[in-house]
Every structure is written in C-alpha cells, then in structure tokens.
Amino acid sequence: MAGTTGDAGTRRDFLYVASGAMGAVGVAAVAWPLIDQMNPSAAALALGTSEIDIASIQPGQQVVFKHRGLPLFVRRRTPAEIASANAVDVNSLPDPLARNAALPDNTLATDASRAVKPEWLVLIGVCTHLGCTPAVSTPQQPQGEYGGWLCNCHGSAYDTSGRIRKGPAPSNLPVPAYTFMSDTRIKVG
Amino acid sequence: MSGPSTYNPKSGIEKWIDSRLPLPRLMHDTISTFPTPRNLNIWYIFGGILTFCLAVQIVTGIVLAMHYVASTNLAFNSVEAIMRDVNYGWLIRYVHANGASMFFLAVYIHMFRGLYYGSYKAPRELIWIIGVLIYLLMTATAFFGYVLPWGQMSFWGATVITNMFSAVPVVGQAIATWLWGDFAVGEATLNRFFSLHYLLPFIIAGVVGLHIWALHVPGNNNPLGIDVKSPQDTLPFHPYYTVKDAFYLVCFVTLFAGFVFYAPNFLGHPDNYQPANPLVTPPEIVPEWYLLPFYAMLRAVPDKLLGVIVMVGAIITLVFIPWLDTSRVRSCRFRPLMKQFFWAFAIVCVILGYCGAQSVEATAFGIPLVWVARIATLYYFAYFWLIMPIAGLIETPKKLPASIAQSVLGDSAAKPAE
C-alpha cells in the first residue's frame, strides 16, 4: 500500500486515530452545553445582599429570615448561652474550624470567630448533613443536649454557637459574611 | 424472541407482513406459544402485574401532566385543582399516587421470589441485573414524582436526597448545585424533576423489553429450580398462563381499588398537604414506605459519607448476587439452611422498614431503634456477602426431582401430556 512506513503504522492508521480523536472532541463539545445547562443560571447566580432589621428580636429568641433561598438564623443569645458556647475546648469539637465566610478557612471555631457581636449569632440554617432546617432549642422547648439546635431529620445536635456536637453532620453550621449597619440592622452577603 | 419460531402465517396478508416486518411472529412466539414450565405457582404472577402497573402509571401520568404546572408558585395549587376541578382528576391522581405504591409492592414480591427460587443463577444473571436496573429507575422515577406536588414532604425529601450527593468528597457540593440548578432546591429543580419524571417511565418500558427478551432466551425459572428437560415439562403461555395471570391481576386490582376508593391517603404522609416551606422542616420527615428500609440504613450510620455509601451499597450489592450464591441448587425449596436465612432476611427488611418510619430517637422495648437498625443493616449485608457464599458451600441440599413433569404429575409423567 502506498505510504507504508513499516512497523510505525500506515497513513490509514493515522487517519483512523485522528478521526477518532476529533470525533471524541466533537462529542465532548456537544455534551458540555447539555451538561452545563443544569448548573445555576445567570439569574440564580445574581444573588443580592439582604438587609435585615433585628430590632424586634428578644434575648433568647431566634428569628428565621430568607437569604438567597436559604433559611438564615438570627439568634439573640442570653448571657448563659454565650457562656456555655465559650466554655468548650475548641480542640475537642468534631469540627474545629470556624466555617465563617468572613474569616480564613483555617480559623478555629472559637465562639469569637463565629459571632461578630457575642449577643448576635447569624447562621445559614441548613444542617450540614442532608440539608434540613434544624429546630432551635429554648429553655421551654429544649432541642438536643447542647442548647443550640437539633436536626429532627437525622439527629444532629448543635451547640449555642451552632457548632456540631453529636450526630451525622460533618461540619458546623456556616456563618455568612455580614456586617452591622447599626445596632439594629445587619447586611448579609 | 429467541429459539426456533413456531409461527406459521396462513393468509396472504400475514405472509406479506411477516416477510417485511415479522412483528406478528414476535408476538406469537413471545406470548402465544412460549413454552412455560407447568409448575409456576402464585409467586410467578408479578411479571404480568408489573407490566400492568407500568402501563397504568404511564397512562394516568400523561393525563395528569395535562393539568399539572411545574412551578414552585403554582404546582401545589395545580394539584389541588386536579383534585377538585378537573373531571375525574381526583380519581386519576389517586390511581397514580397509589399506583406507585402498588408498583413497588409488586416489585418487592417479584424480587423476593427471584431470591427464594434462585432465579438469578446461571443462565439468568442478566435478567436479574437488568431487573436491578429497572428497580433503580423505578426509585428515581418515584422520587421525582413525589417532589412534584411541592408539599412539605416533597420539598424536604428532595432536599435530603439531593444533599446525599454533597457527601461525595471534593466535588460533592458542585454535584448538588448542578442537580439543583441553584444553591438550594427551588424552581429550576422542580422543572427538571418534572422533565425527568416524564422521561424515565419510557426508559423503564424499554429496559422492561430487554428484561423480557433476556427472559425468553433461557425461559422461566420455576419453583423447583430445575431445567426444563422435555416438552412435557412445559405448557404454552396462552391460554394457561394468560388466564392464570389475568385472574390474579383481577385480585391485585381489587386490592389496588381498595386503596384508591377507601384509603387513598393511607400510604401517603399528611404533611405533604402543606405547601412547601423552605424555612421550616417538618418535625419528622420520612420517605414513602417503599424506601424506608434504605432510609433506616442511612440513619443507622453516624457518618455522612459512610451512611450514603451503606445505603447505595445496599442496592448495588444486588447486582453481585448471581456470583455470591455458590450453591449448585437454585431453589430454596431444596436448601434447608438457606431457606431459614432467607426468611430471616425477609423479616430483617420489614424491621428496617419499621425503624425507618420512626423518629431518630425512638425506642422499642427500651432498645434504641438506631441500634436495632444497625444490627439489621449488618444482617442485610452479611446475608449477601457472607451467608450466601458460605451456605452454598457447606449446605447439603435435598434431593432434586427428576423432572418438572414427574414432580407435578407423578411417575405417570412418562406418558405424553394431555
């Protein structure tokens, strides 16, 4: 056959491999838009910030707001709750990291690195196990053993700093980036 | 579908069609004359019943899709409109919702039948594996369907199931986001679930075709688990099994109608009549009854990734059964040891289902159910990965009958079948 180059293969082999490779590139190029269309659309990505009025929240009370489609916990903690959050040895926690969007990833989960002002705890209220909204614990209606939250779906218990203490959830409830605009207003996101 | 055809076209038009598209030949060989073991018992009726269930779900589903609106603001109310306003909408929706439960009831009996009589053993491995694939497609379809009414259980069920993908190391969260089309379950999620819920039943129908095709190569297994040796061991599928299947189908439909007309919400959860609220998780969330055993396994493991692995592993394990069973004998009828382990396994599955339905911290007789579920999960896996291979090696099976005909008709079977 014309173009034979010995054991190194023929031009026909080259054409065969080259067309196969181009075919694979073509399939991938067609497949990618069909896969990527399922990712969040531009509208979903265009997430705003939320301004929240926290004036009406009483000590010991939690109010749930909606932020970027997710529940946002704003809890005004009592001195006892703050004290119990501070009384924990960070290194003994199942998840020792702060999970605070405003702080570096390796920050330790001290209560100070989870709350801008000790009285106010702001958290994304999504259980880090499978996404349920954990139920808040109050002295009247305790939820779990740690005074914070209990996820009724699969039994994950969080403390008064929103840190995971028991159950299948792998990490602490995340803290979003937020700032105090005044004593009674916060801006989240 | 396979083997020599017995179709004999008589009229000119039949011959004309047969030489161009041998569809009548296919139907004739598959349904009419297909030689079927003469000793099939009541547990062999569910293949036909399952085909019926699939047809019911597709027909009622197509009709429901004419009235349903896949939008987070409208979905719940459109389902209510189906129940109140659409002519016979209540009937069609209750048939569809209970039809899913009936479908799973039948498929579970069908699967346990296969387990008991060793229907997965050579040469029927592919029938079994295709069956596992059908089961997986059914669970996916049922899950998508359960999300559509956009009630509280719909929303939180969707949240929990899709969050399982976030357990995958490194890329988990990206996969979950990709599934949602957002950063939480929402509008995009509902729309794509509706699209997939409409698509998958037709895929199931195609795979059912493969299941039946694969079945028609070696033919049916039977309660004795021995091969068909002569024509006296079999009967033509029609009229013998068409009539039998039709009779039991009527019985099955009676049960089905009992649910639809007298207890249409018995198998559902009342919380799904509350519109979805992304800010409040119901105090107890449970899946539909047919997924409870797997849900119990998920909750039995106190680690996110391991829990998901165990749950998925429980289904994937089924694929390997044909090679985990080392016994030379198919049917448990002749396996005194395996028969006991089988019934223990069936009871364990029911116990797992019970555990999955209770709250996280529930107890029974003072024992935390989570520990009951842990032991039951252990048995589930041990049954396939330890008991099945070992029992097949150490057990002495009972003596097998010489043939199906001899077993059914006695020693007079030597004479030609009537």
Side-chain angles (χ1 to χ4, degrees):
Chain A
M1 190 189 295
T4 302
T5 54
D7 290 341
T10 61
R11 289 175 64 179
R12 180 167 296 183
D13 289 338
F14 171 77
L15 282 173
Y16 182 72
V17 172
S19 0
M22 276 316 290
V25 169
V27 167
V30 171
W32 178 245
L34 295 175
I35 294 167
D36 190 45
Q37 54 83 21
M38 278 176 67
N39 274 316
S41 68
L45 289 171
L47 293 166
T49 53
S50 309
E51 279 188 35
I52 293 168
D53 184 356
I54 56 174
S56 61
I57 304 172
Q58 300 301 309
Q61 191 192 11
Q62 168 189 279
V63 174
V64 182
F65 299 92
K66 195 170 178 179
H67 172 65
R68 297 186 179 176
L70 297 172
L72 182 83
F73 292 167
V74 181
R75 179 159 170 174
R76 189 169 180 183
R77 297 188 292 180
T78 61
E81 287 168 348
I82 299 167
S84 94
N86 278 315
V88 183
D89 174 16
V90 173
N91 291 306
S92 70
L93 292 169
D95 175 21
L97 297 178
R99 310 284 172 188
N100 186 333
L103 296 174
D105 283 353
N106 57 0
T107 310
L108 286 177
T110 57
D111 192 55
S113 62
R114 299 205 19 104
V116 176
K117 292 183 181 180
E119 193 180 16
W120 296 98
L121 189 61
V122 180
L123 301 169
I124 303 284
V126 177
C127 180
T128 55
H129 180 226
L130 294 175
C132 296
T133 303
V136 67
S137 185
T138 59
Q140 296 78 35
Q141 266 197 317
Q143 300 278 356
E145 299 151 48
Y146 300 94
W149 288 265
L150 175 70
C151 182
N152 283 306
C153 291
H154 309 92
S156 294
Y158 298 87
D159 66 14
T160 51
S161 194
R163 295 173 296 206
I164 180 66
R165 300 296 290 275
K166 185 187 167 202
S171 59
N172 302 328
L173 291 177
V175 181
Y178 65 95
T179 49
F180 279 88
M181 305 174 73
S182 70
D183 279 352
T184 59
R185 278 188 90 75
I186 57 171
K187 188 168 133 187
V188 187
Chain B
M1 275 177 168
S2 57
S5 175
T6 57
Y7 180 61
N8 190 15
K10 291 177 194 71
S11 67
I13 195 162
E14 284 175 292
K15 284 178 185 152
W16 188 90
I17 294 173
D18 188 53
S19 61
R20 285 161 178 79
L21 178 70
L23 191 60
R25 177 182 296 274
L26 179 73
M27 301 309 289
H28 179 266
D29 293 341
T30 310
I31 294 166
S32 182
T33 59
F34 185 69
T36 311
R38 66 193 308 153
N39 60 334
L40 298 190
N41 57 21
I42 186 172
W43 304 109
Y44 283 77
I45 59 173
F46 289 94
I49 284 175
L50 285 162
T51 314
F52 169 81
C53 288
L54 179 61
V56 167
Q57 292 306 91
I58 289 179
V59 170
T60 52
I62 287 171
V63 175
L64 287 170
M66 294 178 185
H67 304 281
Y68 171 76
V69 187
S71 158
T72 51
N73 290 327
L74 301 170
F76 190 89
N77 288 335
S78 76
V79 172
E80 283 306 297
I82 288 170
M83 296 301 287
R84 290 159 187 269
D85 305 340
V86 175
N87 299 333
Y88 292 103
W90 60 272
L91 177 65
I92 295 161
R93 174 164 176 267
Y94 276 152
V95 167
H96 195 75
N98 285 281
S101 282
M102 292 295 116
F103 206 156
F104 275 95
L105 175 68
V107 89
Y108 281 134
I109 300 174
H110 193 65
M111 289 163 81
F112 275 101
R113 189 284 316 272
L115 269 186
Y116 187 83
Y117 293 123
S119 303
Y120 48 82
K121 291 179 77 68
R124 298 184 178 83
E125 301 95 325
L126 275 182
I127 309 175
W128 176 263
I129 291 170
I130 292 168
V132 174
L133 178 63
I134 295 172
Y135 173 70
L136 271 177
L137 289 167
M138 278 175 62
T139 53
T141 311
F143 163 66
F144 291 141
Y146 195 56
V147 175
L148 302 185
W150 210 241
Q152 273 290 65
M153 281 292 159
S154 299
F155 181 88
W156 291 102
T159 298
V160 166
I161 302 278
T162 50
N163 262 298
M164 283 178 193
F165 290 89
S166 72
V168 176
V170 189
V171 293
Q173 203 56 50
I175 295 175
T177 305
W178 178 74
L179 289 171
W180 294 329
D182 205 332
F183 299 99
V185 173
E187 188 77 29
T189 323
L190 178 60
N191 270 285
R192 64 190 55 183
F193 280 12
F194 181 49
S195 168
L196 293 171
H197 184 68
Y198 205 113
L199 165 72
L200 285 187
F202 297 97
I203 305 234
I204 291 176
V207 182
V208 165
L210 295 180
H211 193 61
I212 296 172
W213 188 4
L215 170 70
H216 281 242
V217 177
N220 290 80
N221 185 31
N222 62 82
L224 297 173
I226 58 176
D227 289 328
V228 167
K229 296 190 180 79
S230 71
Q232 283 149 45
D233 289 345
T234 66
L235 296 168
F237 190 80
H238 179 76
Y240 292 94
Y241 285 107
T242 44
V243 168
K244 179 190 173 194
D245 282 1
F247 170 75
Y248 283 113
L249 179 61
V250 171
C251 298
F252 183 81
V253 169
T254 307
L255 174 73
F256 192 162
F259 276 111
V260 168
F261 293 109
Y262 294 96
N265 291 309
F266 179 74
L267 297 167
H269 197 290
D271 278 7
N272 220 28
Y273 281 100
Q274 285 181 334
N277 180 352
L279 300 186
V280 180
T281 307
E284 278 174 36
I285 77 157
V286 287
E288 289 277 83
W289 70 268
Y290 39 80
L291 299 177
L292 286 173
F294 300 108
Y295 190 64
M297 289 185 198
L298 172 77
R299 293 199 306 192
V301 184
D303 180 87
K304 183 173 173 178
L305 179 59
L306 274 180
V308 174
I309 289 174
V310 163
M311 196 183 79
V312 175
I315 300 179
I316 300 302
T317 289
L318 302 178
V319 171
F320 299 102
I321 292 177
W323 296 278
L324 290 172
D325 186 350
T326 52
S327 174
R328 287 166 292 117
V329 173
R330 289 197 189 104
S331 172
C332 276
R333 197 178 274 188
F334 303 102
R335 302 186 60 188
L337 187 62
M338 198 58 191
K339 184 191 270 184
Q340 296 172 35
F341 283 116
F342 171 86
W343 286 111
F345 174 74
I347 292 166
V348 159
C349 288
V350 174
I351 290 173
L352 276 172
Y354 175 77
C355 293
Q358 308 307 311
S359 74
V360 195
E361 290 175 333
T363 57
F365 310 111
I367 310 161
L369 277 182
V370 65
W371 278 102
V372 176
R374 278 172 192 166
I375 293 162
T377 305
L378 216 55
Y379 184 84
Y380 181 99
F381 283 93
Y383 179 75
F384 294 114
W385 292 98
L386 288 175
I387 295 169
M388 228 175 211
I390 294 170
L393 296 176
I394 63 170
E395 172 182 56
T396 312
K398 290 195 228 166
K399 192 175 177 300
L400 294 173
S403 72
I404 293 171
Q406 192 224 21
S407 167
V408 176
L409 308 168
D411 289 328
S412 62
K415 71 174 194 257
E418 57 272 70

